[in-house]
Amino acid sequence: MNAADRAKLVREVELAGNCSHPIRLSGEMVNVTTGEVGMSSLRIACKDRRAVICPSCSYTYKADAWILVSSGLVGGKGTPTDVASHPRLFVTLTAPSFGPVHTVKTGGGCVALYNPRDELLARGILCVHGRALTCRLRHSVRDNDLGRPLCFECFDYEGAVLWNAHASLLWNNTIQAIRRTLAETAGVNQKQLKEVAQVHYLKVAEMQRRGLVHLHIILRADGPGPLEDEPPSWLTSDLLAMVVKRAASHASAFGARGERFVWGKRLDIQDLASGPSDNTKVPSYVAKYATKTTDGTRDLARRFHSRRQIAVVVDDPHAQRLALTAWDLDLLPALEPLHLKRHAHNFGYTGQLITKSRSYSTTFGELRKARAEFMSARNEGDPVEGTFRYEGRGYDDPRGTQLAEMFFAMKRELREEAAVAKRMAPPTALEAS
Ligand SMILES: [Zn+2]
Ligand SMILES: [Zn+2]
Ligand SMILES: [Zn+2]
């Protein structure tokens, strides 16, 4: 490799924003000023949200997720700051138990999630397979056993996968029930509710170690018109919390074979107006989940193409069984519409990681557009237009990926150093006076 090739690779990596596996496009470029036409190829960032796939793109995604959540809480990026005074809740909806799993309780001990309807537990300390159904260990948070069932045979894998597959539908039914109850409270029908008040939300799915999805939801009550409008005075945080509680305990979703899916018993509701620190804590919490894969490894980062691939690639026995169960359930004609094969790497969860109602705040698309406009404004030279087609992934020189990850690591280190220095800096004359 000569000096010119090396310089070209460095330039390519920089232009792709230090992306590890950029998308390669090629096509005709037209210089808008001179009319000159030329063939060109370019690499654009992959925009993958998962840190194990692309450190640089996931860092950008994490920042965008932070802004998305934060602007809905306190305003910004086109959302008025008035929303900060509206009732806002942080709600966590959980999955029911599908069998006891190893866990770390607040006191440090492991008592598997207990489901009183579980007859096997009621029978005694051993399950029908002769395995102990209690665990006296104090697991460390790094313990591989965490989230794994006490008895693999007793764990209801089908139930767990199907629950994940219906979690989004269950949420849709829940938000409808919340809006219906608010309409009843206001004495109007559901259609007329938006003339009185609106409820906006952002939800993020978190895959627990036991392989079931939890939904974290930011709910905000707004007035009927533009977001600057105050909600009616009767619509307080306390009332909203009561309505959510009722809706969550009554909501259900039905499967194709008549199964009824409901939320787990654990429901957490926090009033976000109670502490200003929540306005930074909650966006950080959401952003943290946004860049994770199902289990935090590469094994479950992508769709599987065969049953054998699951058996070979996924080391964790619990994760493997969940993925295989999803794959096998797809063979049942009644369950075909769930596309469980396609979602086997998410243990059946078919929903998006982050979803929101339209008016909660800005969108990922808007944030990306703003960034692209900012970057193109900084690029010198004549504007160009072009039509491109997909040519593949990655750099021609495989060292491009290494280079990108090194550049990104250095950039992040410098950025973090700068942030620390800023926090440590003595107050300026203006601040001190
Ligand atoms: Zn990337
Ligand atoms: Zn245990
Ligand atoms: Zn058992």
Side-chain angles (χ1 to χ4, degrees), residues 216-229:
H216 302 285
I217 291 139
I218 298 164
L219 262 188
R220 192 183 70 216
D222 299 312
L227 293 180
E228 283 86 352
D229 284 4

Side-chain angles (χ1 to χ4, degrees), residues 50 293-304 310 313-314 316 319-320 323 344-347:
R50 283 92 45 99
T293 57
T294 301
D295 67 339
T297 72
R298 276 169 188 265
D299 298 356
L300 294 154
R302 301 209 191 282
R303 264 180 214 174
F304 293 111
I310 299 173
V313 169
V314 187
D316 183 283
Q320 194 191 81
H345 65 298
N346 285 330
F347 308 149

Side-chain angles (χ1 to χ4, degrees), residues 30-36 381-385:
V30 183
N31 184 315
V32 176
T33 315
T34 65
E36 197 183 332
D382 294 332
V384 287
E385 269 176 11

